Amino acid sequence: MNYDTIIIGGGLAGLVAGITLQERGQRTAIITTGQGALHFSSGSLALLSRDADGNPIEKPLEHIDSLPASHPYSKVGAAKAGEHARAVKALFERAGLSMLGSEDSNHYYMTPVGLFKSTWLSTADSAVSPTPDGSGWGRTAIVGIKGFLDFYPGFIADNLAKNGLKCEVAALTTPELEHLRKNNTEMRAPGIAKIMHGEALERFAKAIVAAAPGAETVIIPAVVGLDGQKDIDALRRFTGKNVICLSTHPISVQGVRMQLALRRYYEKMGGTYLLGDNVTAGYMDGDRLKAIDTANLGHGSLTARNFILATGSFFSRGLVAEPDRIFEPVFGVDVVTEGDRSDWFKENIFEEQPFVRFGVATDNDFRVKKDGKTIGNLYAVGSILGGCNSLKEGSGAGVAAVTAMEVANRLADK
Amino acid sequence: MEYQVKNISANDFEQCIKCTICTVYCPVAAVNTAYPGPKQAGPDGERYRLKNPEFYNNALKYCLNCKRCEVSCPNNVRIGDIIQTARIRYDKSAPKLRDRMLASTDFMGKVATKMAPVVNLMLGFSPVKATMHGVLGIDRHRTFPRYTSTTFEKWMRTKAPSQAAFSKKVAYFHGCYVNYNYPQLGKDVVTVLNAVGYGVQLLEKERCCGVAKISNRLIDSAKEDAQLNIDSIRKAVKAGMEVVGASSTCIFTMRDEYPHLLGVDNADVRDDISLVSVFLYKLIDSGKVKLAFKPGFRCRVTYHTPCHMQKLGWGIYSSSLVRMIPGVEFEPIDSLCCGIAGTYGFKKENYPYSQAIGKELFDQIERARVDYVVTDCETCKWQIEMSTGATVINPVSLLAMAIDVEATKKLNGIK
């Protein structure tokens, strides 16, 4: 099977690249080992949240010029990074995901423990606020679900109280929730969201009103809207309240929603999404990659003009660490590290960890290198790129989306 | 430095990070709270079972072995294999009479085809259905597929000389359903393969692939059948033939369940075992054969990806094959479990879950308003036909309908 572009990795970066190329008329395939890291998302995507000293950034694009040359944003350039960020928000909209926020100015969203973090885009049901204190929510209640282990109303209320926001705390249940509770250790947010439609959702809404009759804003765990925004809109309508959803720990409903919406849109645009497969070999023709094998499709079955490596960092196994080496497992391309093993990490886990900055070696066009030589048609996007500490500065999703958009635009013009 | 580099656990068990993505995509956990879900039933439970088999939880019987957990796992953990291996290893209860009957497709098929008209009539009678429901535990909503009086193997024997005359040949693993119930699919396979220049041979010996025996824990018998099938496949491969089947579950079982669950080594021939639709797609895609289509052929179809087809990763071949047919209007649907899982959905205690699992798929099929649902799995066919009223056919049967056989032969230089 021959494609214009084959993308390896089906998370945020792979999907943004795939959708953009399909929309621009290319024939593409995405090959992905399993479900992508978006499933672990908080529902909020950060572009550039904190400066080198850890202080929140208000206008992320204005900071790009001060980043080191190794940073993926520096390779894209501030002006283009801004354009791409805007294009990503519009792409999400076309995929059915209306996101709050803008690249011009960060906003704040509330984390699962009731703290506020600076961010770029948040799903429309997220607990967002222009300032880091939830002001503007009016009389607020935090409503948990009885027997649900992944949401901590008292803990959240304590943290909000430190910021001066006093909340009521309540808990509810419904017959449908009681049914799920029979399997209480597996009563997880996506499982609840699967049943939260129709009558179950109406009963949930009534229980919310009964638990917090006087509240204008109700904070609930994100257990509604796996397939999109419509069930959340319905919940707000049924309750007549500003219901906001706090992401629970992974797998998060907002993360699954983003993944499903982007994948469906990619396939609607004609893309081929090969889930549960692994690239096992690549074949070069001079300095170009010409074909790949996969575990399922066998030998020499996939060819393309261009390839994009969007396999993620250590967590998604785009990079693999062994005691004496760090390598890229698909093609064995060059990886930029620092020093030897003792320099890779700091004993104190809360210190800035050097290994987070590691990634594959690329030229300024994001083409990867193997044995020091650039592979002419193999590009890397997303968190497999090193050169920045995305955890510290809050840029993981932004780097994924912006670099994917940059490379997709280049390839679409070819 | 001395360290253990490679993962040495069976089924990549220790690669599990307990992220629970598998549980999100488990069709059973979504409808049945008695099932703990793949993470808990698989790698999580395995930690305890390794310490003490007493931790084995009988709720693992609710796993329908769809492998969608494995497809969704970002770390390639063979979660389904862990669960099925645990059932085989730790569930010491004797399989029920009903389970033995459902699993013994060859035995039942041989008996039933001898008296097909009587058996078909009996299986349709409501008192018989009520007895099977009440006494045996086979759900009364199910209709058994009709048995044929002339098995496919018998029909093929009459075709042996003409098939032997082809210079290129493939070995066809027909499976129980084609042999005892639905020889027409086998005939379609012969028609299409002949049209593109391949003679069709049966294996020297063929028994059920074993999927029904595996899921009903008749493991010794399944191993015996598996060994016999692999021995026959080996002979066919030695004779220069690829081995193809038209049922994705049979093919998946022989490629992957034999080594993973039964310990039957197939490494030397695994890559030679394929699906007819994959075999055809590759021939066409590489330009080795051409198809001529009937000029007026028109229909609207969708492709349903059976769970084992999803695990094989081959849905792209079948859907691409279908889309190659001029006159086909293709309406895509999501890859979702239909809920039947072979003999699983025939059991009274599973029937409601089976239907609840399939509901989303049935709704999507009804919304698609197609002439045919195309799929590579026969039990999916029964389930979808019973639950939606749609007509379900194999991609090869759609091709047999769509091609002009004589013109195709001419295109490929066959007399």
Side-chain angles (χ1 to χ4, degrees):
Chain A
M1 279 176 276
N2 184 42
Y3 293 91
D4 294 316
T5 304
I6 290 176
I7 299 150
I8 306 163
L12 178 60
L15 283 164
V16 166
I19 289 169
T20 304
L21 288 167
Q22 285 294 144
E23 287 182 330
R24 304 272 297 268
Q26 283 206 359
R27 210 172 103 82
T28 70
I30 292 177
I31 302 158
T32 176
T33 296
Q35 294 288 356
L38 265 179
H39 285 75
F40 302 83
S41 167
S42 60
S44 191
L45 311 177
L47 190 62
L48 192 60
S49 296
R50 290 174 292 279
D51 65 19
D53 302 319
N55 300 314
I57 289 174
E58 199 192 329
K59 299 195 179 298
L61 298 177
E62 290 177 6
H63 270 260
I64 288 181
D65 285 333
S66 62
L67 295 170
S70 65
H71 199 292
Y73 287 155
S74 301
K75 292 183 178 179
V76 176
K80 270 166 93 191
E83 276 171 39
H84 294 334
R86 199 156 34 247
V88 168
K89 188 180 174 186
L91 179 153
F92 269 63
E93 192 77 46
R94 292 194 295 282
L97 295 160
S98 61
M99 304 292 282
L100 306 169
S102 141
E103 70 285 354
D104 293 327
S105 181
N106 281 331
H107 64 276
Y108 289 88
Y109 87 102
M110 189 164 75
T111 72
V113 293
L115 300 175
F116 286 86
K117 284 198 169 179
S118 163
T119 191
W120 164 40
L121 298 177
S122 299
T123 55
D125 57 333
S126 298
V128 300
S129 169
T131 51
D133 55 10
S135 60
W137 288 349
R139 197 171 155 193
T140 303
I142 305 168
V143 178
I145 293 170
K146 287 179 186 167
F148 179 58
L149 305 174
D150 297 340
F151 186 71
Y152 323 104
F155 198 72
I156 298 162
D158 285 350
N159 273 332
L160 288 177
K162 286 178 198 161
N163 282 316
L165 186 69
K166 282 217 167 68
C167 299
E168 308 161 42
V169 170
L172 59 73
T173 191
T174 67
E176 290 82 8
L177 291 165
E178 281 303 300
H179 177 71
L180 292 181
R181 203 175 164 184
K182 288 182 197 158
N183 194 2
N184 71 320
T185 62
E186 302 307 307
M187 188 189 188
R188 290 277 157 72
I192 298 173
K194 281 183 192 172
I195 62 150
M196 279 295 175
H197 316 285
E199 284 180 20
L201 188 68
E202 282 186 47
R203 266 192 284 274
F204 185 54
K206 279 186 189 142
I208 289 173
V209 173
E216 294 160 68
T217 293
V218 180
I219 299 168
I220 61 163
V223 294
V224 178
L226 215 49
D227 295 327
Q229 180 69 21
K230 66 178 191 307
D231 285 326
I232 293 153
D233 294 340
L235 188 62
R236 287 177 176 168
R237 210 166 49 241
F238 291 150
T239 56
K241 293 176 188 296
N242 175 34
V243 178
I244 52 183
C245 302
L246 208 52
S247 106
T248 58
H249 73 173
I251 306 299
S252 77
V253 167
Q254 288 110 328
V256 179
R257 183 193 309 150
M258 286 193 279
Q259 175 78 32
L260 289 179
L262 292 174
R263 178 187 165 176
R264 280 203 183 119
Y265 184 62
Y266 171 67
E267 292 186 309
K268 195 177 150 200
M269 290 292 106
T272 298
Y273 196 84
L274 299 168
L275 178 67
D277 204 353
N278 294 277
V279 177
T280 51
Y283 302 95
M284 301 295 293
D285 181 7
D287 72 338
R288 296 177 73 81
L289 182 64
K290 63 171 185 189
I292 54 171
D293 293 349
T294 79
N296 288 339
L297 303 182
H299 175 65
S301 42
L302 292 171
T303 54
R305 284 190 289 133
N306 292 295
F307 294 83
I308 297 176
L309 196 56
T311 45
S313 185
F314 297 98
F315 179 68
S316 299
R317 302 189 178 209
L319 297 176
V320 174
E322 283 177 1
D324 56 359
R325 63 174 186 146
I326 290 174
F327 63 101
E328 185 284 306
V330 181
F331 299 112
V333 299
D334 299 347
V335 176
V336 180
T337 61
E338 295 162 24
D340 62 18
R341 181 181 168 78
S342 59
D343 303 311
W344 295 349
F345 61 94
K346 299 271 192 268
E347 297 258 328
N348 178 351
I349 196 168
F350 295 106
E351 273 187 70
E352 186 186 350
Q353 296 292 340
F355 70 84
V356 182
R357 296 193 295 267
F358 299 172
V360 294
T362 72
D363 65 7
N364 280 334
D365 296 340
F366 297 106
R367 293 183 301 181
V368 303
K369 295 177 180 183
K370 187 169 180 180
D371 305 322
K373 286 186 210 132
T374 300
I375 300 178
N377 64 340
L378 176 60
Y379 296 79
V381 299
S383 54
I384 194 172
L385 294 167
C388 65
N389 190 319
S390 53
L391 285 180
K392 186 166 177 258
E393 67 188 20
S395 65
V399 167
V402 166
T403 56
M405 193 57 90
E406 168 72 10
V407 167
N409 277 328
R410 276 165 197 264
L411 294 183
D413 292 337
K414 279 190 179 175
Chain B
M1 194 194 293
E2 283 289 312
Y3 55 87
Q4 178 193 317
V5 179
K6 299 290 181 233
N7 157 31
I8 53 165
S9 68
N11 299 319
D12 289 335
F13 153 65
E14 68 189 17
Q15 298 298 321
C16 174
I17 61 162
K18 311 290 182 283
C19 73
T20 72
I21 276 186
C22 53
T23 302
V24 175
Y25 291 95
C26 174
V28 183
V31 300
N32 181 356
T33 50
Y35 182 58
K39 183 205 69 166
Q40 182 79 273
D44 238 8
E46 189 70 6
R47 292 184 299 169
Y48 296 100
R49 295 189 291 263
L50 285 171
K51 288 184 175 165
N52 186 345
E54 300 257 308
F55 284 111
Y56 177 75
N57 177 351
N58 206 31
L60 267 62
K61 70 180 177 199
Y62 292 118
C63 166
L64 45 67
N65 199 24
C66 68
K67 311 281 192 199
R68 286 188 185 266
C69 48
E70 297 186 5
V71 172
S72 70
C73 178
N75 291 317
N76 284 325
V77 179
R78 296 211 309 252
I79 306 156
D81 288 353
I82 293 173
I83 296 168
Q84 291 306 317
T85 305
R87 291 189 63 215
I88 293 168
R89 195 171 293 162
Y90 303 118
D91 185 352
K92 296 297 175 202
S93 65
K96 293 178 187 168
L97 171 66
R98 171 201 65 186
D99 297 359
R100 288 174 184 277
M101 284 172 64
L102 287 173
S104 303
T105 51
D106 277 318
F107 177 76
M108 299 300 281
K110 272 180 195 141
V111 174
T113 48
K114 290 209 172 77
M115 319 176 277
V118 181
V119 174
N120 290 336
L121 198 65
M122 291 288 290
L123 289 172
F125 270 153
S126 41
V128 175
K129 285 190 155 193
T131 309
M132 294 205 308
H133 184 91
V135 178
L136 286 172
I138 294 171
D139 197 278
R140 64 157 66 86
H141 297 90
R142 294 283 171 203
T143 302
F144 272 85
R146 296 175 68 80
Y147 286 99
T148 178
S149 8
T150 311
T151 64
F152 177 71
E153 285 186 358
K154 202 167 162 192
W155 180 83
M156 271 302 276
R157 279 198 283 274
T158 68
K159 304 287 165 195
S162 64
Q163 295 305 311
F166 283 85
S167 59
K168 290 181 286 187
K169 296 184 189 71
V170 280
Y172 173 43
F173 183 95
H174 50 70
C176 311
Y177 178 64
V178 162
N179 200 32
Y180 303 117
N181 306 98
Y182 194 58
Q184 186 53 46
L185 172 55
K187 293 174 188 174
D188 291 341
V189 169
V190 174
T191 302
V192 176
L193 286 171
N194 283 178
V196 297
Y198 283 82
V200 177
Q201 303 288 303
L202 295 180
L203 292 171
E204 185 184 277
K205 284 179 185 166
E206 177 183 322
R207 285 200 193 144
C208 173
C209 67
V211 67
K213 286 183 179 173
I214 293 169
S215 57
N216 289 289
R217 293 182 296 112
L218 302 171
I219 295 306
D220 291 339
S221 174
K223 264 185 202 168
E224 205 179 290
D225 293 352
Q227 197 56 61
L228 182 133
N229 285 333
I230 287 295
D231 289 346
S232 295
I233 286 170
R234 217 164 257 144
K235 282 179 192 160
V237 172
K238 270 205 185 114
M241 289 185 282
E242 228 179 283
V243 180
V244 294
S247 168
S248 46
T249 287
C250 302
I251 296 306
F252 167 70
T253 302
M254 295 194 294
R255 282 171 60 97
D256 292 343
E257 304 280 73
Y258 281 8
H260 296 166
L261 298 184
L262 298 178
V264 171
D265 182 22
N266 65 358
D268 56 329
V269 293
R270 180 179 179 269
D271 289 347
D272 298 295
I273 306 171
S274 184
L275 263 181
V276 183
S277 48
V278 177
F279 180 77
L280 284 169
Y281 177 85
K282 287 183 173 173
L283 284 176
I284 298 163
D285 189 48
S286 60
K288 285 178 189 150
V289 307
K290 291 188 168 58
L291 299 178
F293 294 94
K294 291 173 188 157
F297 186 80
R298 295 271 178 288
C299 64
R300 183 175 158 84
V301 305
T302 187
Y303 181 75
H304 160 63
T305 311
C307 297
H308 292 158
M309 193 69 173
Q310 177 72 60
K311 173 64 183 164
L312 285 163
W314 292 351
I316 179 69
Y317 289 124
S318 285
S319 58
S320 302
L321 189 67
V322 166
R323 293 168 95 147
M324 271 178 190
I325 303 172
V328 156
E329 191 190 339
F330 190 85
E331 176 68 28
I333 53 171
D334 290 340
S335 169
L336 294 163
C337 179
C338 76
I340 193 168
T343 61
Y344 183 97
F346 276 82
K347 299 174 184 174
K348 188 169 69 173
E349 68 274 22
N350 293 338
Y351 180 80
Y353 299 125
S354 196
Q355 296 314 103
I357 289 168
K359 190 176 179 304
E360 171 63 24
L361 175 70
F362 307 149
D363 290 349
Q364 288 200 17
I365 286 173
E366 300 208 339
R367 281 201 299 272
R369 299 186 172 278
V370 290
D371 301 312
Y372 301 107
V373 174
V374 180
T375 197
D376 287 275
C377 174
E378 283 116 21
T379 48
C380 294
K381 171 182 160 76
W382 307 339
Q383 172 76 336
I384 294 168
E385 289 187 337
M386 185 196 86
S387 310
T388 67
T391 305
V392 183
I393 60 173
N394 190 281
V396 183
S397 296
L398 185 70
L399 272 187
M401 281 158 58
I403 60 169
D404 180 329
V405 173
E406 291 312 314
T408 301
K409 281 184 176 168
K410 234 181 242 171
L411 264 182
N412 294 291
I414 300 141
K415 274 164 242 150

